Amino acid sequence: MLIGVPKEIKNHEYRVGLTPASTRELVKRGHKVFVERDAGDAIGFSDTTYISSGATIVDTPEEIFGCADMIVKVKEPQENECKLLREGQLLYTYLHLAPDPKQTELLVASGATCVAYETVTDNAGGLPLLAPMSEVAGRLAPQMGAHHLERAQSGRGVLLGGVPGVAPATVTVIGGGVVGQNAALIAAGMGAQVTILDRSLERLRWLDNQYSGRIKTLYSTQTSVEDCALSSDMVIGAVLTAGAAAPKLLSREIIKDMLPGSVLVDVAIDQGGCFATSKATTHQEPTYIIDDVVHYCVANMPGAVARTSTLALNNATLPYAVALADQGLTALRENANLRNGLNVHRGKITHKAVSDALGYVHSDAQQALKN
């Protein structure tokens, strides 16, 4: 198979779909890999390294999209990239379609087969291709929030860990999954007073045992979420419904009553955000202020640590990339977990959460793949 790796063009996005090591694995199996010039240069993966791994370097995205049977990316294709896709081509990347009707419309029109990292499952029902970036985003969230609590960043002027004689910051993490656990781990490690909320008692028990009381656990209700938010210096939104738009957990009225200079970090922004006032921001302009509350809603948070993120992501995505390259659509037909990642196929929406969110007719993935 001919595999294309374009350079990411989203604002301050330096990750790359395949590392040189992943490229070497695919080339070893008889596939041809084309990498856009300087695609990995910003994070230490030079064109020379790709060439040594067996790749061919090309100059433009048009060449990549024009020659490849499968496109491997990190972030969702931007509008001009969507228009370069063609019928029968495989796209393998994060998509986050539920809050993005324009991208969905363009992918449907392209006729391409689009596999979303974030909805591929494993045998336990987990999301193995989302997990590594959730780990990175979770660990970044307190770090970013701590910076924006500084007074020069319009925050409350609170040090996350406090000092002897001065109380530490109060941090609320909504959601006890991969993002939430990692956010709580780092926030507590920085010395903050941390509360994590979730609706799974089993998960809360696990977290309580894991952290031996260093992190407070609460069952998540609308009341408990709002009460914690109103008394917190930082609130980290870490909820996920696979493939679907994120639920709105804090209303505009509650946010208006939060502590002046407090910080909201919305890690769910890729799926539309979990706060009523959330809107996607970039690494170039990461925050905005509404009602004296600082909002950090960067839609590609792991891009801030792009080398770590690319290596972690490739560890998870490579086996599925190999399966798609080796078998094409047969891999989707035969592997139910990979098939769960199929969001769009030849003009049809094949993931129910996406079709429900955007009002499309849902097509069963297995049936769609027979055509």
Side-chain angles (χ1 to χ4, degrees), residues 56-116:
T56 299
I57 302 298
V58 300
D59 291 322
T60 67
E62 287 78 12
E63 291 175 85
I64 292 287
F65 283 84
C67 73
D69 302 309
M70 178 168 70
I71 300 292
V72 181
K73 283 177 44 63
V74 178
K75 289 305 294 176
E76 71 279 358
Q78 304 303 291
E79 184 171 343
N80 58 322
E81 293 176 311
C82 289
K83 292 176 180 178
L84 293 173
L85 289 165
R86 64 177 186 275
E87 187 172 352
Q89 198 167 42
L90 268 168
L91 173 65
Y92 181 50
T93 189
Y94 286 115
L95 292 177
H96 300 292
L97 293 179
D100 194 344
K102 181 62 177 177
Q103 184 200 170
T104 306
E105 177 188 337
L106 291 170
L107 293 182
V108 167
S110 75
T113 297
C114 306
V115 178

Side-chain angles (χ1 to χ4, degrees), residues 140-224:
L140 269 176
Q143 179 178 319
M144 297 302 183
H147 175 60
H148 291 286
L149 270 175
E150 296 171 11
R151 187 63 200 128
Q153 308 302 321
S154 300
R156 281 172 54 76
V158 173
L159 180 64
L160 210 61
V163 293
V166 180
T170 301
V171 176
T172 292
V173 181
I174 309 174
V178 176
V179 171
Q181 177 199 345
N182 280 273
L185 171 69
I186 297 304
M190 296 173 76
Q193 179 180 313
V194 181
T195 299
I196 189 165
L197 298 101
D198 200 275
R199 290 195 168 184
S200 167
L201 288 175
E202 182 179 357
R203 185 63 174 173
L204 291 174
R205 288 190 187 100
W206 185 89
L207 289 164
D208 195 61
N209 290 332
Q210 182 76 9
Y211 296 107
S212 304
R214 289 188 297 124
I215 294 171
K216 181 180 177 182
T217 59
L218 277 180
Y219 185 77
S220 180
T221 65
Q222 195 63 50
T223 298
S224 63

Side-chain angles (χ1 to χ4, degrees), residues 7-316:
K7 184 176 182 178
E8 297 292 327
I9 58 174
K10 193 163 185 171
N11 180 276
H12 283 276
E13 182 54 74
Y14 305 110
R15 287 174 289 179
V16 63
L18 292 176
T19 63
S22 296
T23 298
R24 185 179 178 185
E25 293 295 315
L26 288 161
V27 170
K28 187 174 66 176
R29 300 178 73 89
H31 304 294
K32 293 185 178 180
V33 179
F34 296 86
V35 178
E36 187 177 346
R37 188 173 301 282
D38 296 332
D41 190 62
I43 55 172
F45 300 139
S46 67
D47 292 344
T48 301
T49 310
Y50 279 108
I51 292 168
S52 297
S53 299
T56 299
I57 302 298
V58 300
D59 291 322
T60 67
E62 287 78 12
E63 291 175 85
I64 292 287
F65 283 84
C67 73
D69 302 309
M70 178 168 70
I71 300 292
V72 181
K73 283 177 44 63
V74 178
K75 289 305 294 176
E76 71 279 358
Q78 304 303 291
E79 184 171 343
N80 58 322
E81 293 176 311
C82 289
K83 292 176 180 178
L84 293 173
L85 289 165
R86 64 177 186 275
E87 187 172 352
Q89 198 167 42
L90 268 168
L91 173 65
Y92 181 50
T93 189
Y94 286 115
L95 292 177
H96 300 292
L97 293 179
D100 194 344
K102 181 62 177 177
Q103 184 200 170
T104 306
E105 177 188 337
L106 291 170
L107 293 182
V108 167
S110 75
T113 297
C114 306
V115 178
Y117 294 160
E118 72 271 12
T119 61
V120 172
T121 56
D122 59 23
N123 291 333
L127 302 171
L129 308 192
L130 187 61
M133 294 304 91
S134 295
E135 290 165 344
V136 171
R139 292 183 180 215
L140 269 176
Q143 179 178 319
M144 297 302 183
H147 175 60
H148 291 286
L149 270 175
E150 296 171 11
R151 187 63 200 128
Q153 308 302 321
S154 300
R156 281 172 54 76
V158 173
L159 180 64
L160 210 61
V163 293
V166 180
T170 301
V171 176
T172 292
V173 181
I174 309 174
V178 176
V179 171
Q181 177 199 345
N182 280 273
L185 171 69
I186 297 304
M190 296 173 76
Q193 179 180 313
V194 181
T195 299
I196 189 165
L197 298 101
D198 200 275
R199 290 195 168 184
S200 167
L201 288 175
E202 182 179 357
R203 185 63 174 173
L204 291 174
R205 288 190 187 100
W206 185 89
L207 289 164
D208 195 61
N209 290 332
Q210 182 76 9
Y211 296 107
S212 304
R214 289 188 297 124
I215 294 171
K216 181 180 177 182
T217 59
L218 277 180
Y219 185 77
S220 180
T221 65
Q222 195 63 50
T223 298
S224 63
V225 168
E226 291 175 356
D227 287 348
C228 286
L230 291 172
S231 60
S232 291
D233 298 295
M234 184 194 308
V235 178
I236 298 171
V239 295
L240 172 70
T241 303
K248 302 298 183 188
L249 301 177
L250 292 178
S251 67
R252 175 68 183 266
E253 290 71 24
I254 293 296
I255 291 168
K256 186 176 182 180
D257 288 338
M258 288 177 63
L259 297 172
S262 58
V263 176
L264 290 175
V265 181
D266 196 340
V267 188
I269 194 64
D270 274 334
Q271 294 294 136
C274 59
F275 307 129
T277 47
S278 293
K279 59 183 180 182
T281 60
T282 67
H283 289 293
Q284 186 172 334
E285 296 182 33
T287 64
Y288 57 92
I289 298 172
I290 292 179
D291 294 325
D292 290 328
V293 175
V294 180
H295 292 60
Y296 180 94
C297 303
V298 174
N300 59 329
M301 280 181 65
V305 286
R307 185 178 175 89
T308 296
S309 296
T310 295
L311 292 166
L313 182 61
N314 270 244
N315 289 343

Side-chain angles (χ1 to χ4, degrees), residues 305-366:
V305 286
R307 185 178 175 89
T308 296
S309 296
T310 295
L311 292 166
L313 182 61
N314 270 244
N315 289 343
T317 57
L318 179 60
Y320 296 95
V322 168
L324 287 168
D326 285 353
Q327 303 173 54
L329 296 184
T330 300
L332 294 164
R333 296 187 185 104
E334 295 183 351
N335 186 327
N337 289 323
L338 184 54
R339 190 167 60 248
N340 286 335
L342 186 64
N343 280 211
V344 181
H345 177 62
R346 295 180 180 172
K348 297 178 180 178
I349 299 294
T350 54
H351 194 284
K352 195 168 189 310
V354 175
S355 59
D356 288 349
L358 297 177
Y360 282 84
V361 174
H362 174 249
S363 296
D364 178 77
Q366 201 159 15

